[in-house]
């Protein structure tokens, strides 16, 4: 795993048009970003295509990574995730694929073993998600990991959209309160 | 409304933005505010960092081997790939001329070495290598200089090749082991003309170099020479 300093250096070099640095960045981060696009798009061809577009964006926008104060890896993940979500929503708008219910219930989140080996930040988040009701925690995970919208959540839970919005916003408040402890 | 309430709402709004739950007008309004409000950027960054921890549970998946080439094709449609078979390599021969107009002659200096006015230059893209320059020293002897390289893995050697015209690739020697830095080698005068419109390739060979006199299928890098004369 590349260090934060290495990724920062590569991004700075990419800003200057350094293709060798871009290759190094790709080698160090593509398996992680592919995991992100694959999870959201749930289709290998679509995920690979999205991954290509993500790295094209990274090449052109490397200089902007520090604008919002994100760590370099978080920025890369955000670029990949946002792009995959755009593609997912375009696909849904085109009506080509409905939400996959079987897939939606397959993932129960990290087991106890995964939690035991978790890094500090991940452990804190997992612990605080664990303080939420299970279905509310799952909503947060669905939104982040699968790119679900309020509409998706409402349809799956079979409640009005405003109800899930209220649920989720309350859950986020609890989450923040827990994480700040 | 008190300041505390404002902060409170913005904290949740930032989370909704990070999760991608805002509709387009809401998201654009949020982005416009972020551009002007450092405090809002900080709230957003805090959530984005928190949520990014969720990706730790996704098993990493190596993308298909062709993906990087496809990305390079999108970004640099007129240029080379970093690896591949020999067929496309032929396409590079003559390609160096395209960029010649942009290039300027470069004086290469290295400590303890004579100055060389480079006649040809190739910027390798594989992370193990930097730039290759070809030119004559003051005494008129042609040299090839490989600036910065990483030595090959145990049991193998990197071999440099000149690809020009319809001739078979000509070996330019092995990248040395046991040292890193710049690599200088003398070139026989009769091959120097072939660099014009030619390309350089780097192959991975068994220790000691290619047993066949031709490069293996494992080409790490290949770049057309830019004519600087």
């Amino acid at each position: 795993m590349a260090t934060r300093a290495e990724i920062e250096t590569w991004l700075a070099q990419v800003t200057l048009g350094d293709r060798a640095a871009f290759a190094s960045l790709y080698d160090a981060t593509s398996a992680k970003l592919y995991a992100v696009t694959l999870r959201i798009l749930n289709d290998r061809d679509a995920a690979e295509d999205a991954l290509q577009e993500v790295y094209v964006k990274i090449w052109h926008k490397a200089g902007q990574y520090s604008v919002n104060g994100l760590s370099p890896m978080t920025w890369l993940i955000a670029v990949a995730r946002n792009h995959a979500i755009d593609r997912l929503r375009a696909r849904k708008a085109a009506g080509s694929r409905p939400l996959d219910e079987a897939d939606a219930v397959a993932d129960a989140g990290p087991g106890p073993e995964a939690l035991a080996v978790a890094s500090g930040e991940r452990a804190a988040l997992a612990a605080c998600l664990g303080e939420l009701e299970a279905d509310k925690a799952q909503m947060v995970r669905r939104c982040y990991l699968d790119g679900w919208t309020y509409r998706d959540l409402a349809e799956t839970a079979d409640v009005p959209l405003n109800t899930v919005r209220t649920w989720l916003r309350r859950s986020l408040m609890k989450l923040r309160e827990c994480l700040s402890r | 409304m008190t300041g505390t309430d404002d902060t409170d709402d913005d904290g949740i709004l930032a989370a909704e933005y990070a999760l991608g739950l805002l509709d387009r007008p809401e998201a654009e309004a949020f982005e416009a505010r972020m551009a002007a409000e450092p405090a809002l950027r900080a709230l957003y960054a805090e959530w984005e960092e928190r949520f990014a921890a969720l990706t730790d549970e996704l098993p990493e998946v190596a993308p298909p081997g062709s993906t990087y080439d496809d990305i390079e094709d999108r970004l640099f449609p007129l240029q080379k790939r970093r690896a591949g078979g020999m067929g496309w390599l032929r396409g590079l021969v003559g390609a160096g001329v395209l960029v010649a107009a942009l290039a300027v002659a470069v004086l290469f200096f290295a400590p303890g070495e004579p100055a060389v006015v480079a006649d040809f230059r190739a910027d390798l893209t594989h992370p193990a290598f930097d730039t290759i320059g070809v030119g004559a020293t003051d005494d008129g002897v042609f040299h090839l200089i490989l600036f910065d390289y990483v030595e090959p893995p145990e049991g193998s050697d990197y071999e440099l090749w000149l690809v020009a015209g319809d001739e078979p690739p000509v070996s330019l020697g092995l990248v040395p082991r046991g040292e890193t830095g710049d690599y200088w080698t003398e070139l026989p005068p009769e091959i120097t003309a072939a660099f014009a419109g030619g390309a350089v390739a780097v192959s991975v060979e068994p220790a000691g170099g290619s047993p066949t006199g031709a490069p293996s299928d494992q080409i790490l890098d290949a770049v057309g020479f830019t004519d600087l004369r």
Side-chain angles (χ1 to χ4, degrees):
Chain A
M1 188 64 196
T3 64
R4 174 181 176 140
E6 281 174 318
I7 298 174
E8 275 176 346
T9 303
W10 289 326
L11 284 170
Q13 289 166 336
V14 166
T15 308
L16 302 172
D18 185 334
R19 286 169 63 177
F22 185 63
S24 302
L25 180 71
Y26 177 86
D27 289 343
T29 59
S30 56
K32 173 84 172 177
L33 300 193
Y34 188 44
V36 170
T37 62
L38 201 52
R39 169 67 182 240
I40 290 170
L41 291 165
N42 198 21
D43 174 295
R44 284 190 173 265
D45 287 344
E48 194 213 329
D49 210 41
L51 187 71
Q52 289 182 24
E53 289 160 354
V54 164
Y55 277 94
V56 168
K57 276 193 179 174
I58 290 168
W59 172 266
H60 290 299
K61 298 171 95 174
Q64 297 171 28
Y65 104 79
S66 56
V67 168
N68 285 329
L70 300 179
S71 71
M73 199 61 223
T74 298
W75 180 76
L76 293 169
I77 291 168
V79 171
R81 180 177 168 272
N82 292 341
H83 188 73
I85 286 177
D86 285 348
R87 292 282 295 256
L88 176 74
R89 292 184 183 165
R91 190 168 78 187
K92 279 187 191 164
S96 65
R97 186 186 282 226
L99 205 60
D100 189 334
E101 290 300 327
D103 197 61
V105 294
D107 171 42
E113 193 184 346
L115 292 181
V117 298
S119 64
E121 190 143 12
R122 178 180 159 194
L125 184 72
C128 287
L129 281 172
E131 288 192 11
L132 300 177
E133 294 167 64
D135 60 330
K136 305 296 188 300
Q138 190 64 350
M139 283 186 170
V140 175
R141 294 163 45 80
R142 284 287 166 231
C143 293
Y144 185 80
L145 289 173
D146 299 288
W148 280 25
T149 61
Y150 279 132
R151 180 181 301 275
D152 296 326
L153 295 172
E155 282 173 7
T156 304
D158 199 19
V159 293
L161 194 141
N162 280 333
T163 305
V164 285
R165 179 177 284 142
T166 304
W167 285 351
L168 196 90
R169 290 178 62 100
R170 281 192 192 141
S171 301
L172 290 169
M173 284 183 204
K174 284 184 191 165
L175 201 54
R176 179 180 55 189
E177 192 267 327
C178 172
L179 286 165
S180 63
R181 285 207 291 263
Chain B
M1 194 184 280
T2 70
T4 314
D5 286 340
D6 280 342
T7 311
D8 227 31
D9 281 347
D10 281 348
I12 299 307
L13 191 64
E16 288 181 290
Y17 173 78
L19 288 172
L21 288 170
L22 302 182
D23 63 27
R24 190 171 291 272
E26 289 170 335
E28 282 171 2
F30 186 83
E31 284 163 7
R33 281 190 56 204
M34 267 210 302
E37 298 176 36
L40 199 60
R41 284 203 293 277
L43 288 173
Y44 156 71
E46 201 173 4
W47 280 111
E48 194 72 72
E49 297 286 350
R50 287 167 178 159
F51 289 137
L54 285 172
T55 64
D56 285 355
E57 72 193 57
L58 302 178
E60 295 197 0
V61 187
S66 58
T67 307
Y68 189 82
D69 287 344
D70 292 339
I71 292 165
E72 286 218 316
D73 283 349
R74 289 186 189 217
L75 283 171
F76 322 111
L78 296 176
Q79 296 174 45
K80 60 151 291 290
R81 295 174 173 183
R82 71 169 171 178
M86 290 299 287
W88 61 270
L89 204 155
R90 290 285 170 196
L92 288 172
V93 174
V97 207
L98 293 175
V99 288
L102 300 171
V104 277
V106 183
L107 261 179
F108 291 129
F109 292 101
E113 298 283 1
V116 165
V117 179
D119 288 333
F120 304 99
R121 172 182 181 142
D123 293 316
L124 296 172
T125 59
H126 190 276
F129 312 107
D130 190 351
T131 292
I132 283 181
V134 175
T137 41
D138 290 343
D139 53 8
V141 178
F142 272 89
H143 285 83
L144 178 147
I145 310 124
L146 172 60
F147 292 90
D148 272 335
Y149 61 89
V150 177
E151 70 169 18
E154 220 38 64
S156 62
D157 268 312
Y158 294 150
E159 190 154 1
L160 298 167
W161 303 87
L162 172 63
V163 187
D166 294 326
E167 300 299 313
V170 177
S171 175
L172 296 170
L174 302 179
V175 175
R177 322 189 116 270
E179 53 182 298
T180 53
D182 300 345
Y183 162 61
W184 288 62
T185 187
E186 266 188 44
L187 295 174
E190 64 271 15
I191 71 164
T192 51
F195 284 91
V200 63
V202 186
S203 67
V204 181
E205 303 291 348
S210 165
T212 62
S216 71
D217 287 342
Q218 207 185 337
I219 305 292
L220 280 186
D221 208 341
V223 184
F225 277 106
T226 302
D227 195 331
L228 303 169
R229 293 173 300 178

